[in-house]
């Protein structure tokens, strides 16, 4: 029987641990503060931002929210970031992506002080991760590592195949698995004979953004499968990049969608906000 990796419970465990740390920090007179900036009113972004604010309330982090109009200029957004960079009461700054087309996302991410980069998107955070220095880790891949560790899934020496090479998930995921001493292969849209490579994986991590793409032909018997995807299918049902029903009899452990990797992202954001106090 496969282990179903419960991301909802694990994320609650992490948030409950953080709650205690935040009480300790409060007793020392430190109030952890996250600023969440949203430009425009994209409905999906508004849901994400709301969930982040709710998680802050749950763990005891102060959240300040900046809801800016769609026509905010790049300069106005940069000025706000510079102001928050200089505010010692602010520990984390998060600019919800995507941004409107007239704003250069790279410039915005680079403007955030690396000491307050709780998303882990700043080139300095990514560079630090790649050379094994301490720094903020992108929340979704950080959450995957927590799931593996908290379910006592050995990583060291294992064949790990990652499908997807985005800056937010695939690339940092590869760095993190390397840091945990896995043998890592990253596949992407131009990879030839994909199923041959994915079938080598002891741990298969999928973040390709294609609903139910990974079927049992891609999975080795006994593999651990981590599904980072999130889609709505033709019946409006949530599903991942992995065809769960097709692979379930073949895997030793798997993350469901919903309730797998998804809830971990916000828990790791809360974790990074607490870490920010020490930066
Ligand atoms: N948009 C979708 N996911 C994320 C995230 O993790 N952080 C930010 N800033 N924007 C996002």
């Amino acid at each position: 029987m496969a282990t179903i990796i419960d991301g909802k419970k694990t994320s609650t465990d992490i948030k409950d641990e953080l709650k205690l740390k935040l009480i300790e920090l409060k007793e020392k007179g430190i109030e952890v503060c996250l600023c969440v900036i949203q430009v425009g009113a994209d409905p999906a972004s508004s849901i994400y931002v709301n969930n982040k604010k709710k998680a802050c309330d749950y763990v005891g982090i102060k959240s300040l929210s900046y809801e800016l109009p769609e026509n905010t200029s790049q300069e106005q957004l940069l000025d706000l970031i510079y102001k928050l960079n200089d505010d010692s009461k602010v520990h984390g700054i998060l600019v919800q992506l995507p941004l409107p087309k007239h704003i250069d996302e790279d410039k915005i991410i680079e403007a955030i002080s690396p000491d307050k980069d709780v998303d882990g998107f700043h080139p300095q955070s990514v560079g630090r991760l790649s050379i094994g220095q301490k720094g903020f880790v992108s929340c979704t891949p950080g959450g995957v590592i927590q799931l593996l560790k908290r379910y006592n899934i050995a990583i060291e020496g294992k064949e790990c195949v990652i499908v997807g090479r985005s800056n937010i998930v695939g690339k940092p995921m590869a760095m993190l698995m390397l840091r945990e001493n896995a043998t890592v292969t990253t596949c992407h849209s131009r990879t030839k004979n994909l199923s041959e490579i994915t079938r080598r994986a002891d741990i298969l991590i999928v973040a390709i953004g294609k609903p139910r793409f990974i079927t049992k032909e891609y999975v080795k018997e006994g593999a651990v499968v981590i599904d980072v995807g999130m889609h709505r299918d033709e019946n409006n049902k949530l599903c991942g990049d992995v065809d769960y029903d097709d692979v379930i009899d073949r895997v030793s452990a798997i993350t469901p969608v919903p309730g797998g990797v998804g809830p971990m992202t916000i828990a790791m954001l809360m974790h990074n906000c607490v870490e920010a106090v020490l930066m």
Side-chain angles (χ1 to χ4, degrees):
M1 272 287 279
T3 301
I4 313 301
I5 298 174
D6 187 343
K8 198 161 182 337
K9 179 187 178 298
T10 310
S11 80
T12 303
D13 290 348
I14 290 173
K15 286 186 284 184
D16 287 341
E17 291 159 21
L18 290 170
K19 237 184 200 175
L20 299 178
K21 274 198 191 159
L22 283 151
I23 290 170
E24 277 174 31
L25 286 168
K26 269 210 183 103
E27 281 167 0
K28 290 183 190 157
I30 299 167
E31 184 177 41
V32 179
C33 173
L34 170 66
C35 291
V36 181
I37 304 171
Q38 183 182 357
V39 184
D42 172 58
S45 289
S46 298
I47 292 171
Y48 285 129
V49 163
N50 251 330
N51 287 340
K52 288 169 189 180
K53 289 192 271 190
K54 271 194 222 155
C56 284
D57 289 344
Y58 182 84
V59 299
I61 290 173
K62 178 179 174 186
S63 69
L64 294 178
S65 105
Y66 294 83
E67 285 156 28
L68 308 181
E70 178 84 20
N71 63 359
T72 300
S73 72
Q74 180 163 301
E75 285 62 39
Q76 286 170 319
L77 181 54
L78 285 170
D79 284 344
L80 172 60
I81 292 170
Y82 297 144
K83 189 178 86 159
L84 299 174
N85 281 346
D86 288 340
D87 185 342
S88 62
K89 290 201 185 75
V90 170
H91 299 92
I93 302 170
L94 183 148
V95 180
Q96 186 65 26
L97 304 177
L99 286 166
K101 290 209 170 26
H102 64 277
I103 298 178
D104 181 340
E105 269 180 18
D106 288 345
K107 282 219 168 73
I108 298 304
I109 290 169
E110 283 179 41
I112 296 170
S113 162
D115 292 340
K116 301 188 180 189
D117 173 38
V118 286
D119 258 328
F121 294 168
H122 192 283
Q124 185 170 310
S125 304
V126 179
R128 281 179 172 274
L129 174 62
S130 72
I131 57 172
Q133 290 182 357
K134 206 170 149 29
F136 290 110
V137 172
S138 176
C139 299
T140 301
V144 170
I145 296 289
Q146 282 300 311
L147 285 176
L148 294 171
K149 290 195 167 172
R150 286 169 185 252
Y151 276 80
N152 294 316
I153 294 166
I155 305 176
E156 184 162 316
K158 299 290 179 187
E159 285 275 354
C160 173
V161 176
I162 297 160
V163 189
R165 58 171 160 181
S166 70
N167 291 338
I168 292 179
V169 181
K171 284 181 197 146
M173 196 69 249
M175 295 300 172
L176 284 169
M177 291 303 276
L178 205 51
R179 191 163 89 178
E180 299 295 331
N181 300 311
T183 301
V184 180
T185 305
T186 302
C187 303
H188 46 78
S189 54
R190 311 281 168 86
T191 298
K192 294 204 170 71
N193 304 324
L194 179 63
S195 65
E196 243 170 62
I197 300 171
T198 57
R199 271 202 307 269
R200 293 208 304 255
D202 300 311
I203 302 172
L204 178 60
I205 303 175
V206 191
I208 39 169
K210 292 185 185 167
R212 299 197 179 100
F213 180 84
I214 295 291
T215 51
K216 60 177 182 293
E217 295 75 29
Y218 290 82
V219 179
K220 179 169 83 170
E221 187 76 42
V224 173
V225 175
I226 305 291
D227 188 350
V228 184
M230 173 71 90
H231 315 276
R232 281 204 184 268
D233 70 8
E234 55 287 357
N235 302 317
N236 211 29
K237 190 171 174 257
L238 287 171
C239 71
D241 289 348
V242 176
D243 189 336
Y244 184 93
D245 293 336
D246 198 53
V247 306
I248 187 72
D249 291 336
R250 192 172 271 243
V251 301
S252 62
I254 187 166
T255 57
V257 176
V261 174
M264 295 299 291
T265 302
I266 289 184
M268 297 313 288
L269 174 66
M270 299 298 105
H271 166 88
N272 282 353
C273 291
V274 174
E275 288 275 293
V277 172
L278 311 168
M279 290 280 170

